[in-house]
Structure formats: C-alpha cells, structure tokens
Amino acid sequence: MKAAVYDQNGGPEVLRYAEVPDPVCHPSGVLIRVEAISIEGGDTLNRARGALIEHPHIVGYQAAGEIIAVGEKVTHLRVGQKVATTNAYGSHAELRAVPARNAWPIPDGYDPRFASVIPVTFGTAHECLFDAGRLKAGETVLVQAGASGVGVAAIQLAKKAGARVIATASSDERLERLRPLGLDHGINYRLEDPIQSVMRLTDNKGVDLVVDSVGGPTLQASILSLGYRGRISMVGAAGREPMVVDVGSMMGGNRSLTGVFLGAEITTDRVHNMIQTLIDEAARGDWTVVIDREFPLREAAAAHAYIESRQAVGRVLLIP
Ligand SMILES: NC(=O)c1ccc[n+]([C@@H]2O[C@H](COP(=O)([O-])OP(=O)(O)OC[C@H]3O[C@@H](n4cnc5c(N)ncnc54)[C@H](OP(=O)(O)O)[C@@H]3O)[C@@H](O)[C@H]2O)c1
C-alpha cells in the first residue's frame, strides 16, 4: 500500500509518500480500506516529537473507510461495512488494521469523511465538558483555541447543553466562522487580553469551566479566567510550550484542574458508547463537522504545513 511515512521527527517536510507493506488483520481486529483521514492536532505533535513505533513510521489517530477483512474472533462487524476508526498510529495510509474495539459503524448514508473526524475530536470535547468538566446548563464555558478541531466540537456540545460559550482564537475571521456553531462571545487574543475580556463578559465573576487544549502560558490564563469553584479540563499542548503554572493560584477560589486523556479510556464501554452516540447524532444532523480543506494523501506534508500555519478552522482531511 501507499502511505505517508517518516524516518525521523521534524517539520512537515519529513513526511514522504512511499510504498510500504500492507498491515495484517489481527484475529480480534478489522482491516479497512481508508477513504478519509482526519488529521488531529496530536498527529502534528507526534510527527514533531512523538515516538516512532515502526520504521518508517506511519502517524495518525483517525481514519474512516470500508472493512475489507474481519478477524476470526470478531462477530459484530462485517466486510463491506463503513467504520470510523482510531488507533495510536497508522491513519496516514491506504489501508489500516485496528482492534475491532476501535471501530465504530457509520450509519448508512453518512459520509465517512465526516465520520472520520468524530471519535477523537468530538469524543475528547465531550470528555472535557461533561466527564472531567461536569458542565451544567446555565454555566459559562471558555474554550481556548475555539477554531481547533477539539474547539469546534466543544463549542457545539457546550451550546447544546445550555451553556454560554466564550472562545479564543488568533483572528477575528476565525472567530466569525465559529458563530454559526454556537459561539456567544469571541476573544481575539492577539488584540485583547483574554483574562480581562473574560472578566468583562462575566461581570468580573469568571467562567465556570475552561477547556484548554493549548497549555503553556495559556494554561495560567485559563486559571485566572476561572470563577469561584471553576474547573479546567486540561487536554492538550497545541502551544508547544512548557506548562509552567502557579499552582497557588488554584487555591483561593477553590478551583480545580483535571487532566483529560481520551486514549486511556477509549476502550471502556462508557467512552466507546459515547462515541457511537456522537457518530449517530452527527449522522442525524445534530453536529456540524467542519472540514476546512482536503488534500490527497500524497500531499500529507503540505496538509501538515497548512495546519501548522494556523489557517484551518476545524479539520483538515487526507484522501488516499
Ligand atoms: N488528551 C487528549 O485526549 C487529546 C485529544 C485530542 C487532542 N488533544 C490535544 O489537543 C490539542 C489540540 O488538538 P486539535 O486537534 O484540536 O488541534 P488543531 O485542530 O490542530 O488546532 C490547534 C489550534 O491551537 C491553536 N494554537 C495556539 N498556539 C498554537 C501554536 N503555537 N501552534 C499551533 N497552534 C496553536 C491554533 O488556533 P489559534 O491560531 O486560533 O490560536 C490552532 O488552530 C493538541 O495538543 C492535541 O494533541 C488531546
């Protein structure tokens, strides 16, 4: 098969389009012919500094496509079925083998391009808001990097849960694109101080919950944006800077900070079923999957470079 591979960590230019051996279907797994690859923020971080499991390494968490082989121990999936899949690596390829537990059937008629985005992107946002974040109707949530993949999902899920939604982004144009998804107030952090803006928007009370996928200095700003008993779901490092925070600033307001790692619980019944529900709801039209741009798989390097230029709102796909 063809895949986008690399031999060492680095910038997008390390990705090369190459012929590699086909993956083998495990007795407890499925093999899919990939139709769409959703490039995750974690994929770009892994390319830059993650471990190379294989040589050459194929990066990537999410891909959707059609099952072409089913392991002998798998009884609930069948050849010909369309599924969305996740795994620790291996999405940037024409074929993909995953444990059957990491495959979610796509309802008939729902475009696999959209389904490819849901498990990690919407699943993570759901964990941040409702499991770690304990969000309730009427609360105010701040979504850092609202135009990111996780951000676009978090805005929609929070709005539908009855929250007031504030989000940050690096331009007014990016914030404008979030309004139809449920954004109530946008903060362009290049033009205004996000903490002051949050306090102005909340009558100096601060927000109830922050979803922070940026980290670095942004995490300290998240802490200082919290109201009394405010919570932070800390879920990423898109800013790629060290996480240095003043932990003492948590105490006075009885604030809390919870780390979220979807991968640790994705095979539990709770999270597996939550993701299937999100896919089914998206297929019914409850969620908007924002696809900013598509690239052919052979142009994976250009796709990663485009993401890192921070022009994309929502997801960028690769199509084999
Ligand atoms: N723990 C988990 O289970 C889990 C699951 C999913 C994702 N994540 C993590 O969450 C983070 C976001 O993922 P994603 O898929 O939503 O990312 P994404 O779609 O690639 O978006 C990242 C956004 O972060 C903002 N950003 C701020 N500083 C940046 C910088 N220095 N370089 C690049 N972008 C920067 C950019 O928006 P602006 O320009 O508007 O600021 C950018 O659009 C990643 O670190 C990812 O690994 C973790």
Side-chain angles (χ1 to χ4, degrees):
M1 69 167 178
K2 287 280 203 269
V5 304
Y6 51 83
D7 308 285
Q8 75 277 328
N9 295 118
E13 69 282 355
V14 298
L15 285 160
R16 60 186 176 88
Y17 191 60
E19 183 72 29
V20 293
D22 288 357
V24 175
C25 184
H26 188 273
S28 301
V30 294
L31 180 67
I32 71 163
R33 187 178 309 288
V34 173
E35 296 178 19
I37 297 147
S38 169
I39 306 176
E40 301 305 297
D43 296 352
T44 61
L45 282 178
N46 282 331
R47 189 214 67 238
R49 62 187 191 199
L52 277 69
I53 313 292
E54 296 174 329
H55 292 270
H57 182 68
I58 303 172
V59 78
Y61 291 122
Q62 301 214 98
E66 183 172 321
I67 296 178
I68 56 171
V70 176
E72 66 209 34
K73 294 184 182 165
V74 179
T75 54
H76 67 289
L77 297 170
R78 57 179 167 72
V79 169
Q81 203 169 11
K82 305 263 185 177
V83 286
T85 69
T86 67
N87 216 0
Y89 58 99
S91 78
H92 287 37
E94 290 178 323
L95 300 174
R96 172 174 227 203
V98 296
R101 188 64 171 168
N102 293 19
W104 292 264
I106 301 172
D108 286 346
Y110 190 51
D111 190 333
R113 292 178 313 132
F114 296 136
S116 72
V117 176
I118 307 255
V120 173
T121 309
F122 278 75
T124 299
H126 196 282
E127 285 291 270
C128 290
L129 293 169
F130 305 116
D131 188 65
R134 308 185 305 280
L135 183 68
K136 294 191 285 291
E139 291 191 322
T140 301
V141 58
L142 170 65
V143 180
Q144 299 281 18
S148 67
V150 171
V152 160
I155 289 168
Q156 296 181 61
L157 291 165
K159 188 67 182 177
K160 194 142 190 187
R164 180 182 178 215
V165 185
I166 304 172
T168 61
S170 54
S171 74
D172 289 341
E173 191 246 334
R174 289 164 74 67
L175 290 167
E176 268 324 299
R177 290 174 64 184
L178 304 177
R179 293 197 189 280
L181 304 174
L183 180 67
D184 293 304
H185 306 282
I187 298 173
N188 176 347
Y189 64 79
R190 291 202 198 279
L191 298 182
E192 48 187 320
D193 178 82
I195 304 165
Q196 283 179 13
S197 298
V198 164
M199 291 305 162
R200 178 177 43 79
L201 290 165
T202 59
D203 294 330
N204 282 322
K205 290 193 175 73
V207 299
D208 301 292
L209 174 64
V210 182
V211 176
D212 190 335
S213 63
V214 179
T218 299
L219 184 56
Q220 185 65 51
S222 295
I223 294 172
L224 298 177
S225 300
L226 289 176
Y228 184 69
R229 283 189 176 270
R231 293 97 60 196
I232 296 175
S233 292
M234 213 305 282
V235 70
R240 304 183 184 196
E241 292 182 73
M243 309 269 178
V244 181
V245 294
D246 173 10
V247 182
S249 59
M250 305 293 299
M251 192 169 56
N254 282 332
R255 297 158 167 170
S256 60
L257 188 154
T258 306
V260 176
F261 177 46
L262 184 78
E265 302 203 2
I266 200 162
T267 58
T268 63
D269 285 349
R270 180 183 71 80
V271 174
H272 183 88
N273 295 339
M274 176 265 283
I275 289 173
Q276 186 67 61
T277 300
L278 288 168
I279 292 172
D280 295 346
E281 289 171 346
R284 287 204 309 261
D286 291 359
W287 311 121
T288 302
V289 175
V290 178
I291 295 174
D292 184 277
R293 198 166 155 185
E294 297 180 3
F295 290 78
L297 177 58
R298 65 171 62 244
E299 294 175 21
H304 276 228
Y306 176 68
I307 290 169
E308 293 186 351
S309 75
R310 295 165 70 170
Q311 298 170 73
V313 171
R315 278 286 170 255
V316 174
L317 301 189
L318 292 171
I319 308 295

